[in-house]
């Protein structure tokens, strides 16, 4: 069964979060973010995975990614990450 994920990366040097979704293993996807490329995550090489959620369909993962991006609120994102560390 294929699993799709929504994930949040954090860069300490930029003090920024990046929200994405993938059908890949998140560790493999992180390697792509850290590789030389053009795009938002190319600005730093210290991204780490701080949060993941799993879904059974690509559509669900993308909808959750859009929901999180729509928050535009660092405190809500940090709260979500903190709650996941407690559970």
């Amino acid at each position: 069964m294929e699993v799709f994920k929504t994930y949040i990366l954090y860069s300490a040097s930029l003090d920024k979060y990046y929200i994405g979704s993938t059908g890949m293993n998140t560790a493999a996807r992180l390697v792509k973010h850290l590789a030389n490329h053009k795009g938002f995550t190319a600005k730093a090489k210290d991204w780490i995975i701080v949060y993941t959620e799993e879904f059974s369909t690509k559509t669900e993962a993308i909808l959750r990614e859009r929901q999180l991006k729509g928050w535009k609120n660092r405190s809500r994102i940090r709260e979500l990450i903190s709650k996941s560390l407690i559970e």
Side-chain angles (χ1 to χ4, degrees), residues 1-68:
M1 181 176 130
E2 197 168 6
V3 176
F4 298 89
K5 297 177 181 96
T6 298
Y7 61 92
I8 301 174
L9 305 180
Y10 177 73
S11 166
S13 64
L14 298 175
D15 191 27
K16 299 258 184 217
Y17 291 98
Y18 174 85
I19 301 166
S21 60
T22 186
M24 299 174 66
N25 172 291
T26 49
R29 185 66 183 107
L30 177 61
V31 169
K32 289 190 172 228
H33 281 295
L34 296 173
N36 288 332
H37 68 286
K38 293 180 181 177
F40 182 80
T41 59
K43 297 174 185 174
K45 297 298 180 203
D46 66 338
W47 295 101
I48 58 169
I49 300 168
V50 294
Y51 182 80
T52 61
E53 283 183 39
E54 292 187 357
F55 300 92
S56 56
T57 69
K58 182 177 182 177
T59 301
E60 290 173 307
I62 291 170
L63 287 172
R64 180 61 167 159
E65 173 189 355
R66 289 180 184 162
Q67 179 187 36
L68 296 178

